[in-house]
Amino acid sequence: VVVAYFHLQTVMGSALTEKKGILERLAEGPVIGDGGFVFALEKRGYVKAGPWTPEATVEFPDAVKQLHTEFARAGADVMQTFTFYASDDKLANRGNQAHSKFTGSGINQAACDLAREVADKHGGLVAGGICQTPSYLSKASKAEVQQQFRNQMQVFIKNKVDFLICEYFEHIEEMEWAIEVALESGTPVAATMCIGPEGDMHGVTAGECGVRMARAGAKIVGINCHFDPDTTLAGLKKMKEALDAAGLHPYLMSQPLAYHTPDCSKQGFIDLPEFPFALEPRILTRWEMHKYARDAWNLGVRYIGGCCGFEPYHIRAVAEELCEERGTKPLASEKHDMWAGGLKMHTKPWVRARARRDYWESLCPASGRPYSSALSHPDAWGCTAGDERLKQQTEQTTEEEIQKLAAF
Ligand code: CBH
Ligand code: ZN
């Protein structure tokens, strides 16, 4: 009875009182982000690799909602709207029919509905998300690029998202244009670039990128995608040093890949020969996620989440590592005793013997691939904004064009 009473209080409390915003939550302790939507939903058959656009919000709303639910149960405090690459130009790029079938605003609206429904149920926040555009890569004007952002932003404002995330920008200039538009919403803005310690694609250092994001008005700055946790945190360390030197103190945010990328150069995992259909041998284990969460927290990162490759169980590991700092365990820990404790119930004694922390912490897992090498040789074409081959075009890529590119 007592438990039921407290539960009722909590539910009523959250409905009646204003829920804490992102900046308040960050001031209090760690905030856990969600994981990789395009990658997870691609594997489940709801997103196409290549365009990576999120029309699944309209086509398969149950699948998108289920993934939000799984991340929420895993401990994510934030539900990012599944609006990645949902700018109008990207939805109509190189033969993609998403825009003519569904409209950009329809896809963005459905994403807001799904994120809100799950966030409200779990006491989480909704973050509207925008990212880099093919227009920028095609050298469109600032006004044209900002129009792409504004079309998405209109939907976010109408739906009263709790804050905004400008993520996945490889050029600081386009990021600044995005932050400028995001600030028009009046909500806090988080900004993460998909860069490593080498900085952006125009040669701006990681430190300078951090400073410019903060000066542009982002209250939360950091890095997402393209690199593994170690490399991402090395980039964030550079950002932190430059921010400290400039007397700026935004919250730091990391949402790295769940793939090991020690062999990647500036462009990150996009350049790997295994990208995107053979990355599996590189996936981090849940135990490696414990280490990521601890390292990030020790560096002073407050917003800790994931990007491509992060499945709900990876986020659960992050939330379990930080359970003392957060004062709570994720719902999904109901099915996961800390440090392999569940194995105590295994029938086979040698498996029961693995029910201990030091076993999993010191294990170096075998890949089972005797012919695999540890590292790959990344492509490094070095083409970026302005290159003819990156241009937005609505027509499909021809077979002839593929042959030409393959011979390059
Ligand atoms: O879907 C998501 O999780 C988003 N929050 C971030 C996606 S980062 C996607 C990278 C796509 C790379 C490509 O263009 O090939
Ligand atoms: Zn990603």
Side-chain angles (χ1 to χ4, degrees):
V1 179
V2 176
V3 172
Y5 175 73
F6 272 111
H7 181 66
L8 189 66
Q9 285 251 304
T10 316
V11 171
M12 284 173 64
S14 61
L16 295 175
T17 58
E18 195 73 15
K19 149 169 98 172
K20 279 184 193 160
I22 185 66
L23 298 177
E24 274 174 280
R25 291 180 191 219
L26 286 163
E28 285 174 7
V31 168
I32 312 281
D34 59 10
F37 269 65
V38 285
F39 267 58
L41 291 172
E42 191 276 330
K43 294 190 185 70
R44 298 173 193 192
Y46 304 111
V47 163
K48 191 175 285 182
W52 300 115
T53 47
E55 56 276 18
T57 58
V58 182
E59 291 175 306
F60 304 106
D62 291 347
V64 176
K65 189 176 147 189
Q66 175 64 18
L67 189 56
H68 280 307
T69 299
E70 288 176 24
F71 280 120
R73 279 179 47 79
D77 298 305
V78 177
M79 320 281 82
Q80 285 189 225
T81 57
F82 185 34
T83 50
F84 183 75
Y85 278 168
S87 57
D88 296 310
D89 58 349
K90 184 68 180 169
L91 292 168
N93 196 31
R94 295 186 181 264
N96 190 354
Q97 301 290 307
H99 195 260
S100 50
K101 284 202 216 147
F102 308 107
T103 82
S105 56
I107 292 169
N108 283 276
Q109 177 58 50
C112 289
D113 292 339
L114 295 165
R116 177 55 73 198
E117 196 185 329
V118 178
D120 281 354
K121 181 161 175 213
H122 291 273
L125 297 174
V126 172
I130 56 174
C131 61
Q132 70 179 11
T133 62
S135 294
Y136 181 80
L137 294 178
S138 313
K139 286 276 177 204
S141 67
K142 177 176 178 184
E144 286 170 306
V145 172
Q146 288 193 323
Q147 189 54 48
Q148 296 293 331
F149 299 141
R150 237 173 235 121
N151 293 347
Q152 289 187 266
M153 206 55 61
Q154 268 167 12
V155 182
F156 297 144
I157 293 172
K158 185 169 135 212
N159 286 275
K160 299 193 168 57
V161 299
D162 297 300
F163 68 105
L164 289 157
I165 302 179
C166 305
E167 68 174 0
Y168 201 76
F169 287 84
E170 353 176 67
H171 302 91
I172 184 65
E173 180 183 47
E174 188 184 16
M175 172 59 102
E176 287 169 328
W177 298 352
I179 294 172
E180 196 177 303
V181 174
L183 287 170
E184 292 169 10
S185 67
T187 70
V189 173
T192 59
M193 296 184 71
C194 49
I195 60 172
E198 289 183 61
D200 91 343
M201 298 305 287
H202 281 156
V204 182
T205 65
E208 184 60 18
C209 286
V211 168
R212 283 174 63 173
M213 287 188 279
R215 291 226 164 100
K219 295 272 187 287
I220 306 161
V221 311
I223 293 176
N224 81 300
C225 207
H226 277 202
F227 296 93
D228 60 24
D230 284 347
T231 314
T232 299
L233 293 181
L236 264 161
K237 188 161 182 282
K238 287 187 185 283
M239 280 191 184
K240 183 177 160 37
E241 284 160 6
L243 285 161
D244 285 346
L248 295 163
H249 302 287
Y251 290 109
L252 299 179
M253 168 166 175
S254 68
Q255 305 220 82
L257 297 177
Y259 303 111
H260 288 290
T261 63
D263 40 355
C264 280
S265 47
K266 198 171 187 175
Q267 181 87 69
F269 81 144
I270 308 282
D271 276 7
L272 288 174
E274 298 88 10
F275 176 87
F277 293 132
L279 288 164
E280 285 83 351
R282 295 173 176 266
I283 296 174
L284 272 79
T285 67
R286 65 191 71 195
W287 314 110
E288 291 170 322
M289 291 306 178
H290 272 267
K291 181 177 181 297
Y292 154 56
R294 186 53 54 198
D295 289 349
W297 179 252
N298 287 344
L299 180 64
V301 180
R302 287 249 155 164
Y303 190 130
I304 304 174
C307 204
C308 302
F310 264 77
E311 294 282 343
Y313 76 100
H314 289 122
I315 291 296
R316 180 177 61 191
V318 168
E320 286 185 351
E321 175 64 30
L322 296 171
C323 65
E324 274 177 34
E325 286 79 1
R326 299 177 77 230
T328 175
K329 267 198 224 165
L331 281 178
S333 294
E334 200 187 336
K335 296 291 184 188
H336 190 251
D337 297 339
M338 289 284 274
W339 300 111
L343 298 183
K344 289 178 197 156
M345 286 173 260
H346 201 280
T347 306
K348 310 286 181 339
W350 60 94
V351 179
R352 288 201 296 279
R354 297 176 198 147
R356 52 199 166 92
R357 177 173 179 165
D358 61 322
Y359 174 84
W360 294 103
E361 272 188 333
S362 55
L363 182 77
C364 182
S367 73
R369 296 172 186 269
Y371 301 106
S372 275
S373 55
L375 306 176
S376 298
H377 293 286
D379 279 328
W381 288 25
C383 60
T384 191
D387 189 298
E388 193 54 40
R389 294 163 297 177
L390 284 177
K391 276 216 165 119
Q392 201 281 351
Q393 66 170 48
T394 45
E395 303 80 59
Q396 240 155 28
T397 308
T398 62
E399 234 5 90
E400 201 191 336
E401 206 183 325
I402 300 296
Q403 296 308 326
K404 244 168 77 186
L405 291 172
F408 182 74

